[in-house]
Amino acid sequence: MRISAASRLCPVLVCLCFVQRCCGGAHHVPTKVPSKNQTRLANGETEVHHRPKRGWIWNQFFVLEEHMGPDAQYVGKLHSNSDKGDGSVRYILSGEGAGTIFIIDEVTGDIHATKSLDRERKTHYVLHAQALDRNTEEALEPKSEFIIKVQDINDNAPKFPDGPFVATVPEMSEVGTSVLQVTATDADDPTYGNSARIVYSILQGQPYFSVDPKTGIIRTALSNMDREAREHYTVVIQAKDMAGQVGGLSGSTTINITLTDVNDNPPKFPQKNYQLYVPESAQVGKPVGKIKANDEDLGVNADIKYSIINSEGANMFSISTDRDTREGIISLKKPLNYERKKTYTLHIEGVNTHVDPRFSYLGSFKDTATLKITVGDVDEAPVFSMDYYILDVYENSPGGTEVGSVTARDPDSRNSPVRYFMDSKEDGVRYFKIDDSSGVIRTTQPLDREDMPWHNITVMASEVDNPTLLNHVPVTVQVLDVNDNPPEISTEEDVIVCESSRPGQLIQTVTAVDKDDFANGQRFSFALPSQLPVNPNFTLKDNEDSSASIIARRRRFNHLTQELYELPIVVWDGGEPSLSGTSTLTLRVCPCQRHGRIRMCQSEAFLSSAGLSTGALIAILLCIIILLAIVVLFITLRRSKKEPLIISEEDIRENVVTYDDEGGGEEDTEAFDIIALRNPAAAEELKFRRDIRPEARKHCGPPRSRRSPSVEPDEVDVHEFIKQRLVEADMDTSVPPYDSLQTYAYEGQGSPTGSISPLDSPGTQSEQDYNYLDDWGPEFQKLAELYGEVESDVTT
């Protein structure tokens, strides 16, 4: 098969195809074409009988884009060596666009393009050609692939896809400073001709800016472009293809360029001399005036710092910069006094804070101005001689005692009289009063230093002629101390006394407190009251260091016999005159371990604080247990007996109400005393039980203390006691007429055998060491203490 170009193709395209074929641009593959002089074998192979003439097949065609002619555009021709021109060969075309865009003449093999093609949409088409025997439909040639390329023409103008642009460049920039680079795109083929070769030029913006024709970089073309003269520029850039030749297509874009500010302008005061009026009543720290220097720059380049450069003005006034308005705010540093100085002169300087060294040749970026301030005379409020007053007065002084005085005067030249008074809103006014003409402060009542040692009041002064002008001053009154409070013992809790205390043993060290000042207290002396008899249990030792020690005088304290002891102590302070006070300490006896650690006082203290004894607590617990048992029994009976609780009206029988009151038991010997029936008046008298053991003697301890079980049985003559009770029973007319048996559970002392207990038996000191009982646990602790006491008694 051979493909040839039509004779109608223009010579230029033929030359291009030839050049591409020779240079390899038009990719072609020489193909060996089998002829008809072949025999097809049974296995599909062919047998060549003689060497046929071979042809070369082009595998690429070209077609111009945007063809607008009336006829279809001729593309090329397919021709097979087997074609003898008798019409026996039929040519078939398949692939991209076959039959729609590209058609082929089945007889001649001519290919035409029926539509206008756009290279920017599709650059090439891949097709397949076949040559068949028209009669037998056998393939005379193998299927051949070829490409039809769309030849580019200059039909697309350059475009700027990102335009328009915005750019900035500092003012006063040097010539050639890069501003921005713009890039245009061309959809034409950049590898073919000059259709996509772009050249840049500037249409608007000269002579300020220029553009590089190849790269599109925009640069400054003039030096010293001043933002203050012109800030915005509009530049139009054109891009033209065909390397800028005549007939090329072009596109343009706009660049808006803004000059940014640099500090190239110094600050300037609009005028050199200013005047300002300030009344002498102006407050210190408050603004009194403003001044401003102009700067044509922007932002930080226009920031100005103001300062007063002469000492006369800097001592009385200060100046600061307002960040928003860039004004100099003048404030007062010290009070003005028209009578002392009437005018002030200020030399003010304004300096840029951000200076660009590139423009130092323009001079110093600062300016100065002169401000003359005139002080105005006003009627001023009275002025106190001191900023504050500190006065003092002794406590307990009678009302009307002079504390001190304040002084104020009119600062004006006419020197008007002054009136004094106190601020009625303060609490200190009720304790003091002031003379409205002299300013003397006096007390209204006696003061107590321990209640309030300091008083703060405010004294106000006004002119008699103009009461609206006020001034005030703080006055602090200190109340001085006198020795008017007796000292007290500082111990608030009970003092613990161990049962195992020895004579001479230290119980506790106590100190005292005094509400008076250190000068009238803090040196204390201690002693027991001299008007009371000598305390047999405790004594007191003054340590002469404002403390005292409580010391035991005897041994064998027992909390069951007497739990609490009261010890009055007299304390003297060191004031002038000396005062004394008596404080009573409560000493609580507690069981302690051998090393002095308390063992049982906490639980007993809890019970005593609750107001319940051990017996009362046990009784309450027993009552609760009995009530719970009754409730459980009642519930059990109800479950076992399913009778209804409500008796029907037909069930008529007696209702027996039972009260289980058993009385007071064996110990209640007076439960059925019929004295109240015979003689009601006698029932009012106090009855004593006759079946108890009598008290041996009256103890000095508190009434709530119980008898110690360690009292010896020979302390009371029981025989005499029984005889006395017998006589009383015989002589008493209020007893029942029958005999009353009085039982005394007492064995007496008639046993000849004596006691078998070794505790009260005299004997020699045992060599046995009972310290090992301490290691047996708390159950043997009491036994160890008893043996330790017996051993120490024998040693004594």
Side-chain angles (χ1 to χ4, degrees), residues 687-740:
K687 298 289 188 265
F688 295 93
R689 296 180 60 176
R690 303 180 179 179
D691 57 344
I692 63 174
R693 186 177 178 178
E695 296 183 356
R697 64 177 71 139
K698 184 178 180 181
H699 291 272
C700 298
R704 55 180 171 176
S705 63
R706 295 175 293 178
R707 275 191 64 85
S708 172
S710 62
V711 177
E712 300 296 336
D714 58 350
E715 293 179 357
V716 179
D717 191 348
V718 180
H719 300 286
E720 295 296 332
F721 172 73
I722 293 176
K723 291 180 181 181
Q724 181 181 357
R725 289 300 189 204
L726 182 58
V727 173
E728 291 179 359
D730 293 339
M731 300 299 295
D732 191 357
T733 58
S734 62
V735 297
Y738 50 84
D739 294 336
S740 176

Side-chain angles (χ1 to χ4, degrees), residues 281-505:
S281 60
Q283 298 182 9
V284 175
K286 298 296 183 179
V288 295
K290 300 179 182 179
I291 191 172
K292 183 179 181 181
N294 298 326
D295 195 322
E296 296 180 356
D297 295 322
L298 299 176
V300 296
N301 298 319
D303 288 345
I304 302 174
K305 180 181 179 181
Y306 298 94
S307 59
I308 302 174
I309 58 177
N310 65 318
S311 59
E312 177 186 355
N315 291 334
M316 291 296 297
F317 298 91
S318 63
I319 188 170
S320 60
T321 304
D322 190 320
R323 293 183 179 181
D324 297 330
T325 62
R326 293 188 174 90
E327 294 176 327
I329 308 300
I330 302 171
S331 302
L332 189 61
K333 292 175 63 177
K334 297 179 181 180
L336 296 175
N337 193 328
Y338 174 81
E339 288 73 23
R340 295 182 180 179
K341 190 172 180 62
K342 297 178 176 58
T343 59
Y344 292 91
T345 301
L346 279 64
H347 297 295
I348 300 175
E349 181 182 65
V351 182
N352 279 143
T353 56
H354 299 79
V355 180
D356 195 335
R358 296 179 300 169
F359 307 103
S360 59
Y361 65 91
L362 298 177
S364 60
F365 283 74
K366 60 183 179 181
D367 195 14
T368 58
T370 302
L371 175 63
K372 184 177 181 181
I373 297 179
T374 301
V375 181
D377 185 20
V378 295
D379 191 4
E380 300 175 83
V383 178
F384 285 94
S385 59
M386 300 176 63
D387 295 334
Y388 60 90
Y389 293 86
I390 299 179
L391 309 177
D392 54 61
V393 62
Y394 280 98
E395 66 174 329
N396 300 331
S397 298
T401 302
E402 180 177 345
V403 178
S405 62
V406 296
T407 304
R409 64 176 183 85
D410 183 10
D412 298 324
S413 57
R414 56 184 179 178
N415 195 14
S416 299
V418 177
R419 183 178 65 89
Y420 303 94
F421 57 96
M422 290 185 179
D423 189 355
S424 59
K425 299 180 181 179
E426 295 182 343
D427 295 338
V429 176
R430 60 178 180 175
Y431 298 104
F432 304 94
K433 62 181 180 179
I434 188 171
D435 189 281
D436 58 355
S437 58
S438 63
V440 175
I441 301 175
R442 301 178 183 275
T443 61
T444 60
Q445 56 183 317
L447 304 178
D448 187 0
R449 189 201 69 87
E450 288 71 33
D451 182 29
M452 187 179 297
W454 295 88
H455 295 269
N456 296 316
I457 58 177
T458 301
V459 176
M460 309 184 73
S462 65
E463 294 183 9
V464 176
D465 299 336
N466 190 0
T468 58
L469 294 177
L470 299 175
N471 198 0
H472 58 85
V473 65
V475 178
T476 301
V477 180
Q478 180 184 9
V479 182
L480 302 179
D481 183 57
V482 296
N483 193 19
D484 58 344
N485 289 278
E488 299 176 353
I489 299 296
S490 59
T491 302
E492 297 180 358
E493 299 179 355
D494 294 346
V495 178
I496 303 302
V497 179
C498 292
E499 290 183 338
S500 58
S501 298
R502 301 284 190 272
Q505 181 176 346

Side-chain angles (χ1 to χ4, degrees), residues 41-102:
L41 301 179
N43 56 2
E45 298 181 354
T46 58
E47 180 182 358
V48 181
H49 298 280
H50 62 274
R51 186 177 183 87
K53 183 179 179 182
R54 301 181 182 278
W56 301 97
I57 296 178
W58 293 85
N59 68 345
Q60 184 168 294
F61 288 112
F62 293 91
V63 59
L64 289 175
E65 68 170 334
E66 304 294 344
H67 178 70
M68 304 301 293
D71 299 328
Q73 183 181 180
Y74 181 74
V75 178
K77 184 180 181 65
L78 295 179
H79 184 72
S80 173
N81 291 339
S82 301
D83 189 358
K84 303 301 183 181
D86 54 0
S88 61
V89 179
R90 184 165 68 92
Y91 297 97
I92 299 176
L93 189 66
S94 62
E96 297 179 344
T100 56
I101 300 176
F102 302 103

Side-chain angles (χ1 to χ4, degrees), residues 9-10 12-14 16-17 20 25-26 60-67 73 75 102 116-120 122-125 148-156 188-189 191-193 195:
L9 190 64
C10 67
V12 177
L13 294 178
V14 173
L16 290 174
C17 293
Q20 290 177 352
Q60 184 168 294
F61 288 112
F62 293 91
V63 59
L64 289 175
E65 68 170 334
E66 304 294 344
H67 178 70
Q73 183 181 180
V75 178
F102 302 103
S116 177
L117 303 180
D118 187 1
R119 189 201 67 85
E120 287 70 37
K122 190 171 180 62
T123 59
H124 66 278
Y125 296 86
I148 299 178
K149 295 188 68 174
V150 181
Q151 193 71 42
D152 181 53
I153 64 173
N154 189 18
D155 60 341
N156 291 278
D188 293 326
D189 190 358
T191 63
Y192 177 74
S195 298

